[in-house]
Amino acid sequence: MSLYELSAAERAEQAIAHAADLAWQPMSQSFWARNATGEALGAGSIPQVSQAAAQQRSDRARTILELLDSVELEQAGHESQLTARLLRYYAEHWVKDAGRYWVYFDVSGIMFGGPFVQTAYTGGFLFNGLNASVSQYRFERDSDGDRYLAVLADIARLLRQIFERTEGQAERGIRIHKPQLPGVRSLLAGLKAAADTRYRVSDERIAALSGPAALKRQVDRRVDEHILPAFQALIDQLDADYEAQAPEGVGMDKLPGGREVYADLVRMHTTMDMTPEQVHAAGHARMARIEAEMGRVRDKLGFSGTADEFRTWLKQQPGAVAANADEIGEKMRRHKDRVEARFDEFFAQRSPAPYDLVRLDTALESNMTWGYYEGPSPSEPRGLYHYNGSKLDSQAVVGAASLTFHELVPGHHLHMTLQFANTRVHPIRRFAFVNAYNEGWAEYAATLTGEMGLYDDPYDYYGRLIFDAFLTCRLVVDTGMNALGWSWEQAQDYMREHSYCNDGEIASDTLRYSCGIPAQSLAYKLGDEEILRMRAALQEQLGEAYSHKDFHSAVLGVGSLPLPVLEWHLDEYARRQLAA
């Protein structure tokens, strides 16, 4: 039977399934997916950073769009339509990758990239995950040794491609911004040191193989002769001559073609049709609301001084400064226990995986303000938040409750583990990452916990407002530095005035927005507001039939989606509920 002898619904379902398979094929080979599913590293696990790879992604996206345009998608079932809408969002951005290769590259393949691969939130994030996968590699048969050598060769190839792209960028007048260079050099040195230990194999790891001594010699040779020199080449590449020609300022608008690419990244990361100017204005309006609420809390506490005086006073209170890194983790664990006690009142389903907190790799701490969440895997069954333990006076200490709820439960950990456990949908949906949903949900979760009574201590609530103000700063300074001509100093001054960050945090965060992953930070508060708006609309539609539990199940049950697609899903959900 030919495709055109099928019904319109069958044609739509087949086209969507084929498009999903095309999108999933390269993702399925990545070390992120292999690590999550317990598959060993192998051919295709290590990312490609070449211009040919960007062209391949664009060509694949064009085919996906042609498939989706060839049928009547509304004839498909609800879940398939969600998949199709997710695929269209992916493909409409992937199709641009070849044309913007020199200005922006997504090394992850899930639209989490930036202009330069060597920064903390691109290269640091990449190599931290890759190093963990390599460290957990298991040697059970001789073929595992051969495959491991191939993986090491592929890592050396990745490093050469990063070098070649950096060289090609420089030829086009695209260089890492001068303020970012010290951090990049430090990061590369730390990654080189980590590779020198993590990529080698101990006698115990390879004891099951028939020729362990020979394999160990070959591994050492690949590390010594290929990987370490490749890291050193990346360090040497950023020499005094490179720095002399690097942009003095920060932001995408300092790079040829960067302003246009940034406008695209705003739409990609927010999944909304907003301009940088609109986002900037929204940030200022939101900050005014937050600071008014902060004033009300100070009044309730009986504090008669100014906001700046309260800021100084608060940092001097017991518990506002940690004695050591472990104390930060312990404080966050106490809030983890508190949310567990009230969880079942607001959610119908718990996470299928345990979760905890561990300290961030020290090689990354100087370049990351906070840390990051890492989902469970067969080798590490817990979901882990890697927290920065080097900044004992950080606002993360004051805002520990908010940060815990955002990163773990009911935030990232709950969402991601439920999504991954949903085997009823195509793998592209199980592994989907849409920044506006992921970060929007996590911030919605941190807002919801206030409704759950978990900021009953006024200092915890103020800590939540501090965290809210910090994330709102991003709407202003990200757009300011990348599109509106703000200097790095202007952005830092704004954050000093409106956040509780110390100068080190302000420096690393503003570099993250302007030189690392521009526009990514816009998703948090815009996404949070959109989900709250959708919830209010659903409450109005359903009236007494509405419940928080049902709303959360409806949102979490479909996994990560562009926010307009989530709204379409909730409208359909309301229609079915009203018709029942």
Side-chain angles (χ1 to χ4, degrees):
M1 179 183 292
S2 75
L3 182 65
Y4 293 99
E5 292 175 312
L6 301 173
S7 67
E10 290 169 326
R11 288 199 300 274
E13 293 283 352
Q14 286 198 9
I16 294 166
H18 185 28
D21 288 343
L22 277 175
W24 172 240
Q25 193 277 326
M27 285 189 185
S28 68
Q29 301 303 310
S30 71
F31 76 84
W32 290 288
R34 285 174 177 259
N35 191 46
T37 57
E39 294 181 63
L41 295 178
S45 300
I46 312 303
Q48 297 280 344
V49 186
S50 66
Q51 191 172 18
Q55 185 64 59
Q56 215 171 30
R57 192 181 291 165
S58 289
D59 292 344
R60 186 181 297 266
R62 201 166 289 109
T63 302
I64 290 169
L65 291 172
E66 288 169 359
L67 273 168
L68 297 177
D69 288 339
S70 70
V71 293
E72 299 173 70
L73 296 177
E74 64 275 11
Q75 296 294 320
H78 184 77
E79 286 293 344
S80 292
Q81 287 194 56
L82 290 176
T83 302
R85 290 165 186 258
L86 172 67
L87 291 171
R88 186 174 294 282
Y89 162 74
Y90 276 155
E92 285 179 347
H93 289 285
W94 285 338
V95 79
K96 301 172 185 176
D97 279 3
R100 62 190 181 190
Y101 170 73
W102 296 110
V103 185
Y104 168 88
F105 187 77
D106 173 18
V107 70
S108 70
I110 54 171
M111 295 189 287
F112 195 83
F116 308 105
V117 180
Q118 300 97 315
T119 58
Y121 286 88
T122 49
F125 183 76
L126 163 68
F127 278 100
N128 198 52
L130 178 56
N131 290 352
S133 295
V134 169
S135 298
Q136 295 159 9
Y137 188 93
R138 299 180 65 178
F139 296 90
E140 297 173 340
R141 55 186 67 85
D142 288 347
S143 59
D144 293 332
D146 294 335
R147 191 166 60 250
Y148 187 73
L149 291 171
V151 167
L152 293 182
D154 223 14
I155 292 172
R157 181 269 308 155
L158 167 65
L159 293 168
R160 289 194 301 274
Q161 287 182 340
I162 296 172
F163 183 94
E164 291 162 1
R165 180 172 181 268
T166 304
E167 194 171 55
Q169 286 181 302
E171 291 170 359
R172 292 162 174 81
I174 301 168
R175 290 177 175 82
I176 297 170
H177 305 77
K178 199 169 288 185
Q180 179 79 346
L181 280 170
V184 169
R185 291 182 181 123
S186 171
L187 175 65
L188 290 172
L191 292 174
K192 179 187 174 186
D196 195 15
T197 56
R198 291 200 178 198
Y199 294 174
R200 301 186 194 277
V201 292
S202 65
D203 293 336
E204 294 76 17
R205 284 183 73 191
I206 58 176
L209 307 188
S210 61
L215 175 63
K216 192 172 184 180
R217 285 194 299 273
Q218 290 182 70
V219 168
D220 286 345
R221 188 178 303 120
R222 298 219 172 176
V223 172
D224 291 331
E225 296 179 8
H226 299 280
I227 291 178
L228 297 184
F231 269 116
Q232 189 60 47
L234 288 175
I235 295 169
D236 294 342
Q237 189 176 35
L238 308 179
D239 59 12
D241 181 61
Y242 182 98
E243 182 167 359
Q245 299 179 68
E248 294 285 345
V250 297
M252 291 286 283
D253 60 358
K254 309 303 185 298
L255 308 176
R259 186 186 297 272
E260 295 76 19
V261 171
Y262 179 74
D264 257 352
L265 297 182
V266 170
R267 290 186 289 271
M268 183 182 85
H269 282 298
T270 67
T271 70
M272 293 181 280
D273 190 17
M274 295 184 73
T275 66
E277 291 78 10
Q278 288 171 324
V279 174
H280 191 80
H284 281 298
R286 183 178 178 89
M287 185 63 75
R289 296 195 299 271
I290 294 167
E291 291 185 337
E293 180 65 9
M294 286 176 148
R296 286 189 282 271
V297 175
R298 291 194 300 271
D299 289 345
K300 286 181 183 178
L301 290 170
F303 190 88
S304 58
T306 66
D308 280 345
E309 289 169 341
F310 185 81
R311 181 182 315 190
T312 302
W313 176 85
L314 183 62
K315 287 189 174 183
Q316 296 169 347
Q317 301 313 298
V321 177
N324 51 54
D326 290 342
E327 191 173 300
I328 298 175
E330 286 306 313
K331 186 167 187 177
M332 296 179 80
R333 282 190 188 90
R334 287 195 291 274
H335 292 296
K336 168 181 176 286
D337 293 339
R338 293 183 71 227
V339 77
E340 285 294 321
R342 301 222 44 205
F343 182 87
D344 294 331
E345 298 172 46
F346 289 81
F347 294 89
Q349 191 174 5
R350 286 180 171 267
S351 167
Y355 58 102
D356 205 348
L357 302 107
V358 296
R359 185 174 178 177
L360 183 66
D361 189 322
T362 54
L364 300 179
E365 286 191 331
S366 64
N367 289 288
M368 284 192 178
T369 305
W370 305 98
Y372 67 92
Y373 169 77
E374 180 182 26
S377 68
S379 58
E380 173 49 80
R382 300 171 298 168
L384 296 174
Y385 177 60
H386 298 257
Y387 66 88
N388 194 326
S390 69
K391 298 166 183 173
L392 304 182
D393 63 343
S394 164
Q395 65 169 317
V397 180
V398 177
S402 180
L403 187 57
T404 303
F405 304 146
H406 173 108
E407 296 290 350
L408 293 172
V409 169
H412 285 320
H413 178 76
L414 179 65
H415 151 224
M416 291 184 182
T417 53
L418 287 175
Q419 177 175 305
F420 183 68
N422 185 5
T423 56
R424 296 178 294 102
V425 298
H426 193 280
I428 195 76
R429 293 269 304 282
R430 290 178 64 205
F431 284 85
F433 181 93
V434 179
N435 195 33
Y437 179 105
N438 285 47
E439 299 300 350
W441 170 263
E443 264 307 281
Y444 167 81
T447 301
L448 172 73
T449 43
E451 298 175 34
M452 295 168 69
L454 299 180
Y455 301 123
D456 51 345
D457 182 319
Y459 296 104
D460 280 340
Y461 180 49
Y462 205 83
R464 168 60 188 157
L465 293 172
I466 288 171
F467 198 66
D468 202 352
F470 161 71
L471 294 176
T472 299
C473 281
R474 293 173 163 183
L475 301 177
V476 176
V477 300
D478 193 310
T479 51
M481 288 185 291
N482 286 292
L484 304 179
W486 278 33
S487 68
W488 189 31
E489 291 73 22
Q490 188 176 356
Q492 291 181 86
D493 286 344
Y494 183 88
M495 290 194 71
R496 286 190 190 97
E497 182 181 353
H498 296 285
S499 81
Y500 277 53
C501 291
N502 60 42
D503 283 351
E505 292 170 331
I506 289 171
S508 68
D509 245 58
T510 47
L511 288 176
R512 165 187 170 172
Y513 313 147
S514 58
C515 310
I517 42 175
Q520 185 272 340
S521 70
L522 308 179
Y524 294 71
K525 298 316 303 181
L526 294 178
D528 171 25
E529 287 194 342
E530 275 295 283
I531 293 174
L532 285 167
R533 182 188 63 77
M534 292 178 207
R535 190 182 78 174
L538 192 66
Q539 284 178 294
E540 186 175 346
Q541 285 177 281
L542 297 182
E544 292 183 1
Y546 171 86
S547 80
H548 277 340
K549 274 190 176 184
D550 289 344
F551 173 74
H552 297 148
S553 294
V555 173
L556 292 170
V558 292
S560 195
L561 292 169
L563 296 181
V565 180
L566 178 63
E567 184 169 24
W568 175 81
H569 162 70
L570 291 174
D571 286 343
E572 290 293 299
Y573 167 79
R575 185 181 57 78
R576 291 195 301 270
Q577 291 294 105
L578 291 170

